[in-house]
Amino acid sequence: MSRHMISMGGRRQKAVDDEERTLIVPPSSSGGDLPDQDASATGFIYVLAFFSALGGFLFGYDTGVVSGAMLLLKEEMNLSTLWQELLVSSTVGAAALSALSGGFLNGWLGRRVCILLASFIFAVGGVILSAAPDKAVLLVGRVTVGLGIGIASMTVPVYIAEVSPPNRRGQLVTINSLFITGGQFIASVIDGVFSYMGRGGWRYMLGLSVLPAVLQFVGFLFLPESPRWLLAKGRSQEARRALSRIRGDRGVDEEYAAIRTSVEKEKKGAGLVISRILSHGPTRRALIVGCSLQMFQQLAGINTVMYYSATILQMAGVRDVKQAIWLTAATSATNFVFTLVGVWLVERVGRRKLTLGSLMGTGLSLTLLAVGFLLAAQHSPPTTLHPVDAQNSTCRLYRSCEFCMLDPDCGFCYREDDSRVYNSSCVPVNQASTDNAAWGRCSNQTEATASPMWAYNYCPTSYSWVVIMGLILYLAFFAPGMGTMPWTVNSEIYPLWARSTGNAWSAGVNWIFNVLVSLTFLHVARYLTYYGAFFMYTGLVAVGLLFVQGCLPETKGLPLEDVENLFAGRLCSCGSSSATRDVHYVRVNGRGSHPSDSDASDAE
Ligand SMILES: O[C@H]1[C@H](O)[C@@H](O)[C@H](O)[C@@H](O)[C@H]1O
């Protein structure tokens, strides 16, 4: 019987028992190929990945759809800014809480039941939202879908990783991220379509998520539980049956034995899992790496860039709301398409290189975005008219659009002629709707070309192309690496006993930083200006780059049972040991047996 291991600087030597000898196999030159002779890659695994990743789709859909729905809701239900913020952030807040408790549920009920539970919650949430008679019920619906998102976000990657063969695991887990961004894209298209409907259109936007939720629920009634979880629960016969079903015709003795050995080794521990994780060096280090990756994903500002894309497009001269909605769909399409690149690259270049390359590109594009905003600020149009302000608001104090738009109570009213701005003033915004001014020329906005323009939260500028380039490059670099790898890597760096808890904590960190970054963005922009905010994200990405360079080991191709050993040494020694990191050790039986074909592919 043969098993495979990667060694870091010979640390693994002590694990080799007397009956075995160690062969040093150079890294395969075909490291990037996904050998199809591996019979384990049956169609069934893709069916499993598809139905699981519907959880990712719902995560993306429910977080993405709200911006378009809000445009209609705020008019129809007369929502104050506070209520709008509540309806958006309550989902993310609830997701953070349920992701954290999802670890316990996962260990207790299993991956399959948790996925069933999440799809059931999604469906109930969708029904509540589409039938909501008032804003309080809407809030209940948004919290409900948030609870579903949290559980799905931590369970789905774990389930996919546990049922996948090692050489396809990264790709299959990354499909979940593809479904997240796919969900965000479809949500923006649905927003576009139903925005024409006017009254009640939001009911369809929010309610349509019931369909994929029901599809997932029904699908999972027929799909197997993770064999690893079943074995951990002592249900060995069911585990073997599930594994045989997933692997198709291929013999599963070897894989089954490997999982059982690792489960038995892990059974010894007692006490709260999180304290066991923290008191055991390798799992503590894995948790630090996993949580930090999730934190840096959010600190790179993805959700402000996505959220802010409509404003960026307005700066570029897109005045029509419908057009802005469709162009926002183009932004989420870009995010989706480049996630596809990630799915393609993950087994070819590996997690580490993909993350490093992505962070570098993300940092450079953020710099470009910041420079674009800086140029726009430096050439910001001055206020030329100073109308009498009976309320004595702060708006009359601002001498240029830049300062005016940074004050959430003010907007910029102007006329334009061949992109030359004239007759401009800074006036208070209408508190009921930011679409027009509280009083004066811009208080009664009509489609008529003769009426002056109203810019809230942005300034007209001729440097918008720099910002748009930055936006596209940002998505192109972020999506394949930083958008996907934090989820993928977390699904594979913990041993079985720590896997659900580790993923729950790291997903919780992701959601907490998601809330923090989105809630603080406008305040940060107010104090540091927009370019300052984007320079700040660049700085945070640079710190993330150093962290990943030093601390993220490569997990590509390793059986889950062996990944823990990558964290056996000092934290953040990966960079310095990169020479030894590529040395692959294949343990083979001492009686002269040879690695099988599938062994060779696993050892890559
Ligand atoms: O991986 C996803 C993806 O990148 C999404 O576009 C983003 O909205 C999420 O916050 C993130 O976790």
Side-chain angles (χ1 to χ4, degrees), residues 59-60 63 177 180-181 184 294 297-298 302-303 306 335 339 475 478-479 482-487 510-511 514:
F59 158 172
T63 49
S177 299
I180 299 177
T181 53
Q184 289 173 330
Q294 292 287 23
Q297 179 193 68
Q298 292 301 318
I302 175 65
N303 289 307
M306 294 275 283
N335 195 17
T339 311
L475 292 170
F478 180 89
M482 275 315 274
T484 55
M485 287 307 108
W487 298 109
N510 180 294
W511 290 110
N514 187 331

Side-chain angles (χ1 to χ4, degrees), residues 21 47 72 121 133 155 162 184 257 288 333 352 393 472-473 476 506:
R21 60 193 165 80
V47 173
L72 303 179
I121 297 177
T155 311
E162 288 187 349
Q184 289 173 330
I288 294 173
R352 197 179 134 81
S393 72
I472 295 171
L473 285 176
S506 60

Side-chain angles (χ1 to χ4, degrees), residues 155-232:
T155 311
V156 170
V158 168
Y159 178 79
I160 303 183
E162 288 187 349
V163 297
S164 302
N167 65 329
R168 286 191 187 246
R169 187 181 59 235
Q171 190 181 63
L172 289 163
V173 179
T174 310
I175 287 181
N176 185 49
S177 299
L178 184 69
F179 273 51
I180 299 177
T181 53
Q184 289 173 330
F185 168 55
I186 299 290
S188 56
V189 173
I190 298 280
D191 277 355
V193 171
F194 285 99
S195 65
Y196 292 94
M197 197 172 150
R199 243 188 129 66
W202 58 269
R203 292 193 189 277
Y204 294 91
M205 298 175 182
L206 298 174
L208 273 174
S209 63
V210 174
L211 298 178
V214 170
L215 179 67
Q216 188 186 40
F217 187 86
V218 174
F220 255 87
L221 287 177
F222 301 97
L223 294 175
E225 176 55 272
S226 151
R228 286 175 162 85
W229 180 83
L230 286 170
L231 257 171

